[in-house]
Amino acid sequence: MVVYAHLESPIGRLRLTATERGLSAVHMENHAHLPPGPPEGNEVSGTAIPEVIVQAMDQLRGYFAGTRTTFSVPLDPPGSDFQHRVWERLAAIPYGTTRSYGQLAAELGDRHLTRAVGSANGRNPISIIVPCHRVIGSDGSLTGYGGGIDRKLFLLRLEGVLPPAEDQPALF
């Protein structure tokens, strides 16, 4: 059974989806790669929220508060074997650091996989917890992000990768 609940965050409302095996998605509003149609599963709230979603919510709150740098919630993302290999590499990128698509491809054993790595990165269904925002262009540029470049900037600033914006207006 698939269920979902919402969490208000500094980057807008997040939809957390879970199966009985673990967290299967964290999507932002207006996310570029939302599954088509209405949300999968049943919306839950209050005491009906499963423990895996409660745990993910608590960990995300800690992350946004600056008190958590890693996540330990069980994951169950849908995807191909290759996508899972890429997402495992993403999850291994330490807080406050970045990698390029080419570096990830090399870590997977083939520098020619850069485009495939980029595609798998873009299809990562578990934003923030599987930190696809930590992947940048080989020249240091902030390339696309399913949640939008403004959110990527916010997350990288939160982690200290980029300097804080001075007098930045609210984006979300």
Side-chain angles (χ1 to χ4, degrees):
M1 183 166 144
V2 177
V3 297
Y4 67 92
H6 291 98
L7 173 67
E8 297 301 327
S9 81
I11 58 171
R13 192 176 205 204
L14 303 175
R15 185 176 71 217
L16 287 73
T17 306
T19 68
E20 56 279 348
R21 292 177 302 278
L23 192 68
S24 58
V26 175
H27 286 118
M28 300 168 198
E29 291 180 315
N30 303 316
H31 198 274
H33 299 293
L34 285 175
E40 182 181 7
N42 298 312
E43 184 170 11
V44 292
S45 61
T47 59
I49 298 175
E51 180 58 31
V52 69
I53 292 180
V54 170
Q55 187 180 20
M57 288 176 163
D58 289 344
Q59 290 181 18
L60 284 164
R61 285 184 191 107
Y63 171 81
F64 286 119
T67 60
R68 175 174 283 278
T69 60
T70 61
F71 296 93
S72 60
V73 64
L75 305 178
D76 185 32
S80 70
D81 288 342
F82 179 75
Q83 288 173 324
H84 281 263
R85 287 180 50 218
V86 172
W87 300 337
E88 287 170 10
R89 294 305 317 147
L90 293 177
I93 301 171
Y95 179 94
T97 64
T98 60
R99 297 284 185 282
S100 72
Y101 297 98
Q103 286 173 312
L104 289 175
E107 289 176 16
L108 290 166
D110 186 348
R111 275 208 166 278
H112 295 96
L113 294 174
T114 300
R115 283 187 186 268
V117 165
S119 178
N121 188 64
R123 298 285 184 224
N124 168 28
I126 306 180
S127 299
I128 305 165
I129 291 174
V130 176
C132 49
H133 62 277
R134 295 180 188 153
V135 181
I136 60 173
S138 60
D139 62 357
S141 63
L142 300 184
T143 57
Y145 183 61
I149 292 293
D150 288 344
R151 287 186 176 114
K152 185 172 188 164
L153 277 167
F154 178 92
L155 296 171
L156 292 174
R157 285 181 175 137
L158 176 71
E159 294 186 16
V161 173
L162 298 174
E166 293 184 26
D167 301 320
Q168 179 179 343
L171 299 172
F172 313 102

